Amino acid sequence: MTKKPRIVFAGTAQNCARFLPAVFSNIEKIASLASETAFVFVENDSTDETKAVFNEWGQGKANFNLVNMDGLKSIP
Protein backbone atom coordinates (compact mmCIF):
# COMPACT_ATOMS: atom_id res chain seq x y z
CA MET A 1 0.00 0.00 0.00
CA THR A 2 1.36 3.40 -0.96
CA LYS A 3 1.62 5.93 1.82
CA LYS A 4 -0.18 9.25 1.14
CA PRO A 5 2.04 12.35 1.22
CA ARG A 6 1.72 15.27 3.58
CA ILE A 7 1.50 18.55 1.67
CA VAL A 8 2.10 22.18 2.60
CA PHE A 9 0.53 24.72 0.27
CA ALA A 10 2.32 28.08 0.45
CA GLY A 11 2.16 31.26 -1.56
CA THR A 12 2.05 35.00 -1.73
CA ALA A 13 -0.91 37.08 -2.82
CA GLN A 14 -1.92 40.63 -3.65
CA ASN A 15 -5.07 41.80 -5.46
CA CYS A 16 -5.95 38.36 -6.78
CA ALA A 17 -9.45 37.79 -5.38
CA ARG A 18 -10.99 37.04 -8.77
CA PHE A 19 -8.54 34.16 -9.37
CA LEU A 20 -8.72 32.56 -5.93
CA PRO A 21 -11.83 30.37 -6.44
CA ALA A 22 -10.07 28.51 -9.28
CA VAL A 23 -6.84 28.31 -7.27
CA PHE A 24 -8.70 26.93 -4.25
CA SER A 25 -10.46 24.38 -6.44
CA ASN A 26 -7.09 23.09 -7.67
CA ILE A 27 -5.66 23.08 -4.14
CA GLU A 28 -8.61 21.02 -2.90
CA LYS A 29 -8.14 18.48 -5.69
CA ILE A 30 -4.47 18.07 -4.85
CA ALA A 31 -5.16 18.08 -1.09
CA SER A 32 -7.51 15.13 -1.51
CA LEU A 33 -4.44 13.03 -2.37
CA ALA A 34 -2.70 13.84 0.92
CA SER A 35 -2.89 12.32 4.37
CA GLU A 36 -2.36 15.73 5.97
CA THR A 37 -2.28 19.29 4.67
CA ALA A 38 -1.23 22.73 5.83
CA PHE A 39 -1.85 26.10 4.21
CA VAL A 40 0.36 29.18 4.59
CA PHE A 41 -0.31 32.28 2.53
CA VAL A 42 1.21 35.75 2.84
CA GLU A 43 -0.84 38.71 1.65
CA ASN A 44 0.00 42.40 1.61
CA ASP A 45 -1.67 45.66 0.70
CA SER A 46 -4.51 44.23 -1.39
CA THR A 47 -7.13 46.75 -2.42
CA ASP A 48 -9.63 44.15 -3.59
CA GLU A 49 -11.33 41.35 -1.62
CA THR A 50 -8.26 39.09 -1.48
CA LYS A 51 -8.06 39.01 2.33
CA ALA A 52 -11.78 38.29 2.71
CA VAL A 53 -11.73 35.50 0.13
CA PHE A 54 -8.75 33.85 1.84
CA ASN A 55 -10.34 34.16 5.27
CA GLU A 56 -13.65 32.74 4.08
CA TRP A 57 -11.98 29.77 2.40
CA GLY A 58 -9.68 29.10 5.34
CA GLN A 59 -12.36 29.33 8.01
CA GLY A 60 -12.59 26.03 9.82
CA LYS A 61 -9.64 24.48 8.00
CA ALA A 62 -7.04 22.87 10.21
CA ASN A 63 -3.53 24.17 9.66
CA PHE A 64 -4.59 27.31 7.76
CA ASN A 65 -2.59 30.48 8.30
CA LEU A 66 -2.95 33.77 6.44
CA VAL A 67 -0.10 36.17 7.25
CA ASN A 68 -0.99 39.83 6.70
CA MET A 69 1.98 42.03 5.78
CA ASP A 70 0.16 45.29 5.02
CA GLY A 71 2.46 48.28 4.78
CA LEU A 72 5.12 46.66 2.57
CA LYS A 73 3.98 48.75 -0.36
CA SER A 74 5.04 51.93 1.43
CA ILE A 75 8.60 50.75 2.14
CA PRO A 76 11.04 52.44 -0.26
Side-chain angles (χ1 to χ4, degrees):
M1 179 179 241
T2 304
K3 186 176 176 181
K4 287 186 170 187
R6 295 182 295 167
I7 302 173
V8 175
F9 295 90
T12 59
Q14 184 183 62
N15 293 326
C16 59
R18 67 181 180 181
F19 303 107
L20 290 177
V23 171
F24 294 151
S25 176
N26 287 332
I27 286 173
E28 289 171 358
K29 288 175 188 172
I30 296 167
S32 71
L33 304 173
S35 64
E36 186 177 356
T37 56
F39 309 91
V40 180
F41 300 101
V42 178
E43 183 283 331
N44 75 286
D45 300 304
S46 290
T47 57
D48 66 359
E49 295 299 315
T50 296
K51 285 184 199 79
V53 174
F54 267 111
N55 284 319
E56 183 178 323
W57 182 78
Q59 190 173 23
K61 283 189 175 39
N63 302 317
F64 175 83
N65 192 7
L66 177 60
V67 178
N68 183 331
M69 301 286 291
D70 281 349
L72 291 178
K73 203 172 190 177
S74 65
I75 296 174

